[in-house]
Amino acid sequence: MADLAGEITVGAYLAARLTQLGCRHLFGLPGDFNMNLLDEMLTHNDLEWQGGANELDAAYAADGYARVGRTVGAVITTYGVGELSAVNGVAGSFAEDVPVVQITGLPSTDAIRSGARLHHTLLDGDYLHFARMYREVTVAQAVLDRTDPTAEIDRVLSAMLAASKPVYLGVPLDIAKAPVPADRLRTALVTPASDPEAVAAFTDALRDRLPRMDRLTVLAGPGVHRRGLEAGVARLADVPGIRIASQVGSKAILDETHPASLGTYLGDRTLHPGSQAVVDDAGVLVMVGTVYSDFSTGFFSHRYQPGHAIEIALDHARIGPALYPGVRLDDGLAALGEVVAGLTFAPQEDVPATEPPVAHRADDEPLDHTTMWALMQEWLPASTTLVAEMGTAFFGALDVTLPDHSDLLGQPVWSSIGYTLPAAWGAALARPERRPVLMIGDGSAQLTIAELGRLLTHPSAPVVLLIDNDGYTVERKIQSPEAVYQDIPAWDWNALPAALGASDAVVHDVATPGALRDALAAATDPSAAHFLRVRLHRDDAPRLLLELAEGIAKVNATT
C-alpha cells in the first residue's frame, strides 16, 4: 500500500482504489497509449495482470470475474481500436447490472488539445468520439486531466458502486504518471447508504400489510447475486409458509433441494410443475432484485402483475403504487426479513419436484441432449461454477438441479454468443475454490476460442464440454434451418487445446452415452483439466430451448 502521507501517481492511485474494492486482477491488452498506465498500476503489488487475446475477451472475462466474485471487474485497453473492441462486452455488463470499469489509455493531453493526427484516431482532431460512445453503455465517464484526477476517479467508481453498472475512465499518457496526494485513499469508497426515514417507512408499511396476508412468495432475481445477498434469501426460506422462486439469471440462489424452493420461474415454461401458479397467484408476491424481460418471463407468459407486487430493487422499494426511493436492496431485504421473522404464513401446497432428465439411450447409441443432461446431472460435483453459453447449453442447464455450493453463470439478457469462454476464465480467477465446468456450442466457441488455452491452464483444472453440432442450432430452431448462414467451418477440435497452449489438458472425443460417462468419470480427477468434444446431431436440442425458440419465432413472425 502506498504511503498515504506522501504522493503517488494517478495510475497507482487507480490501482489502489480497485484493490480496496476487492478487485485483484486487471484484464486487458497493452497498447502504446496505455503502457504508462499499465506500468504504474502494476507496481501496486495486489493487482495481477491478466492479458487477453483481444479486448472483447478481456471485457467478457472482467464481467465473469465481477459476477462470480461478487466484486468489481476492471478491463484496460488502448485508445480507439482497443476500447471499441471491448464495447460489446461492456454493453453486456450494463444490460445485466455488472460493475466493471473500462479504463482507456489515451494519447497525451497535448496531443488531445492540439488535435494531432495520430494513429488509432479518425484524423479529424476530435479525441472524444469514443468516450462519447461509451456514454450509452456506462453510468459515469471521465477523461482525466490535471484538475484533481483523484476526485474524478472517486466520482466515477462511486457511481459504479451505486448503480452496479459499468463506468468509463480515460487516462492520457502523461496523466497516468502525474503525481497526486495519496491521502484521499484513507477514505474508502462505499455503496451509498439507504435513507433511514425511507427504510423506516417501508418497514412500517410491511408490518401493516404482511400480517394480513396468508401466503407470501418471493421471486428472487440476479440483483441478489450482484449484492451478495444470497444469505438473506435463505433466511426468508426458513420462515414457515414462504416459498422462493428464482429467475433465469439467478438459478440456485437458494439451494434447489430446499423445501421452500420453487426452482426457476419462466412463466408458462416454468420448470417445476405447479410452481407457476404459486408465483402468479401468490397472496403477496415480493420481487427481490428482479429483471423484467422476454426470457425472464417465458416470453411474457407470466400472469403476475409487477405493479401489484412488493418490489425491492437496487435503489428503491415499492409496495403496489407506493414508492420508497432511497431504500437500497440490502436494507430492503433486511427489512423484509425482520418483519416476516415473527410471522407464520399458511402452508402452501407442495410443488412436485422437477423430473430429472433420464439417460434413455444405451451406452453404444448416438448421444442426444436428454441423455447428455441426465449424465451431467449425475456427475456434477459440489462447489462447481457451471458456465453455460446462451442457446443449447444454457437452456439445457436450467433443467439440471445444481449441487450444493454451486452457481450457474450465463448471460440471459444480453445473450452475446462467445461470452462464456472468457467469462469462465474470469470466474476461475474470482472463485478459485470452485471448479469451472464450461458448456459451450461450436458456433459460440469459434468467436472467443483464443482464450481456451488460458482457461484450460488455470490451476482450478476446468472441465470444458464443447458441444459439436455443426453450427447455430438455436438459430436453426427459430428460422431457416437449412440457410447457409447457419453453417460454420468444421474445425479439428481435438487438436485445439494443445495448439492453444494447453498441452497437458486431457482430450476426450465423445459421441455415445458410454463415452461421455467414461469421460466425466475421468474428469472427476481435479488434478488435470479436461476438454470433451461432445458430438450431437445437428437438429437435436434441449426441450426448453425448443419451447423458447418457438416463442421467439412467433414473436418475430408478427413483426
Side-chain angles (χ1 to χ4, degrees):
M1 175 62 72
D3 177 7
L4 299 186
E7 288 188 334
I8 57 174
T9 64
V10 169
Y13 183 92
L14 175 56
R17 276 303 195 204
L18 290 175
T19 56
Q20 285 179 345
L21 295 177
C23 181
R24 293 291 182 268
H25 298 86
L26 179 63
F27 299 89
L29 273 79
D32 56 343
F33 294 138
N34 72 3
M35 286 192 284
N36 274 357
L37 183 57
L38 279 172
D39 287 344
E40 296 303 319
M41 293 185 74
L42 295 178
T43 59
H44 192 79
N45 294 332
D46 294 331
L47 201 58
E48 181 180 322
W49 173 246
Q50 294 291 321
N54 59 68
E55 294 85 359
L56 176 60
D57 289 357
Y60 285 156
D63 179 293
Y65 180 87
R67 290 189 199 223
V68 172
R70 314 294 190 251
T71 182
V72 302
V75 57
I76 184 168
T77 72
T78 196
Y79 174 77
V81 293
E83 59 188 326
L84 291 186
S85 177
V87 72
N88 179 42
V90 176
S93 300
F94 187 89
E96 303 208 6
D97 300 327
V98 183
V100 171
V101 55
Q102 159 64 35
I103 306 163
T104 296
L106 278 75
S108 70
T109 51
D110 285 344
I112 293 172
R113 289 189 187 120
S114 67
R117 292 174 175 258
L118 301 182
H119 62 285
H120 295 340
T121 76
L122 301 182
L123 297 182
D124 63 355
D126 184 349
Y127 279 81
L128 300 182
H129 285 295
F130 314 123
R132 290 195 294 270
M133 290 182 184
Y134 267 93
R135 289 179 186 172
E136 299 297 324
V137 292
T138 57
V139 292
Q141 313 81 29
V143 173
L144 303 183
D145 56 26
R146 293 185 181 274
T147 307
D148 208 354
T150 58
E152 281 293 88
I153 289 172
D154 288 357
R155 175 185 68 81
V156 169
L157 294 182
S158 295
M160 175 180 65
L161 295 178
S164 188
K165 285 184 181 290
V167 292
Y168 175 92
L169 278 173
V171 186
L173 269 169
D174 53 317
I175 300 299
K177 301 181 73 170
V180 291
D183 58 355
R184 287 182 67 102
L185 293 171
R186 297 180 190 273
T187 303
L189 302 181
V190 296
T191 303
S194 294
D195 176 350
E197 293 185 1
V199 174
F202 177 61
T203 305
D204 288 343
L206 291 175
R207 285 199 178 103
D208 177 64
R209 178 171 182 179
L210 293 185
R212 297 184 280 113
M213 309 305 299
D214 63 345
R215 292 178 296 129
L216 189 147
T217 301
V218 174
L219 181 60
V224 175
H225 277 324
R226 302 293 182 270
R227 300 297 306 149
L229 300 175
E230 296 87 347
V233 172
R235 284 191 290 271
L236 293 177
D238 291 334
V239 176
I242 291 182
R243 308 301 293 271
I244 312 286
S246 67
Q247 294 190 306
V248 291
S250 52
K251 179 178 170 65
I253 207 164
L254 175 69
D255 179 356
E256 294 188 296
T257 62
H258 192 291
S261 174
L262 296 170
T264 305
Y265 178 86
L266 268 171
D268 63 11
R269 294 164 175 87
T270 295
L271 306 180
H272 281 48
S275 289
Q276 182 187 10
V278 180
V279 174
D280 287 344
D281 304 328
V284 58
L285 178 65
V286 183
M287 304 188 308
V288 183
T290 55
V291 298
Y292 185 76
S293 72
D294 50 359
F295 281 175
S296 70
T297 59
F299 286 93
F300 309 110
S301 61
H302 63 295
R303 297 195 310 272
Y304 69 84
Q305 297 295 320
H308 297 165
I310 296 173
E311 179 188 18
I312 305 175
L314 180 68
D315 58 1
H316 70 273
R318 180 180 54 78
I319 301 178
L323 188 65
Y324 301 87
V327 177
R328 303 286 301 182
L329 183 61
D330 314 53
D331 293 318
L333 181 58
L336 176 65
E338 175 187 331
V339 171
V340 302
L343 302 177
T344 298
F345 297 92
Q348 301 195 44
E349 289 185 24
D350 289 337
V351 173
T354 300
E355 290 295 327
V358 176
H360 64 282
R361 293 201 168 179
D363 278 0
D364 58 352
E365 292 183 327
L367 186 66
D368 67 354
H369 267 281
T370 301
T371 300
M372 178 183 73
W373 290 108
L375 295 177
M376 289 299 297
Q377 177 73 82
E378 294 174 8
W379 172 78
L380 275 174
S383 299
T384 293
T385 300
L386 179 59
V387 189
E389 184 74 19
M390 287 305 295
T392 53
F394 188 80
F395 289 107
L398 288 177
D399 261 341
V400 172
T401 299
L402 293 183
D404 291 343
H405 309 297
S406 296
D407 200 359
L408 174 64
L409 173 59
Q411 199 189 42
V413 175
W414 192 239
S415 298
S416 184
I417 66 171
Y419 161 79
T420 54
L421 207 163
W425 162 38
L429 290 164
R431 298 290 295 272
E433 78 282 5
R434 285 188 175 179
R435 194 182 192 191
V437 174
L438 169 64
M439 302 188 73
I440 186 169
D442 50 358
S444 295
Q446 289 192 1
L447 272 77
T448 51
I449 196 64
E451 309 303 347
L452 180 66
R454 190 170 280 106
L455 173 62
L456 289 174
T457 54
H458 189 271
S460 60
V463 178
V464 175
L465 290 90
L466 186 287
I467 300 173
D468 184 357
N469 56 2
D470 296 326
Y472 300 121
T473 295
V474 60
E475 312 299 349
R476 294 187 199 276
K477 297 302 180 185
I478 295 171
Q479 183 174 320
S480 305
E482 303 301 330
V484 64
Y485 52 74
Q486 309 286 21
D487 300 329
I488 61 172
W491 283 11
D492 185 353
W493 292 104
N494 296 346
L496 279 179
L500 294 173
S503 56
D504 291 335
V506 182
V507 176
H508 309 264
D509 196 323
V510 170
T512 66
L516 178 57
R517 200 185 304 272
D518 291 345
L520 292 174
T524 302
D525 176 9
S527 66
H530 290 257
F531 178 82
L532 285 66
R533 178 188 188 179
V534 183
R535 300 177 189 254
L536 292 165
H537 190 275
R538 192 200 78 168
D539 296 322
D540 187 31
R543 63 101 189 163
L544 187 56
L545 176 63
L546 295 175
E547 295 178 14
L548 291 175
E550 181 182 358
I552 296 174
K554 287 179 179 177
V555 171
N556 291 352
T558 63
T559 59

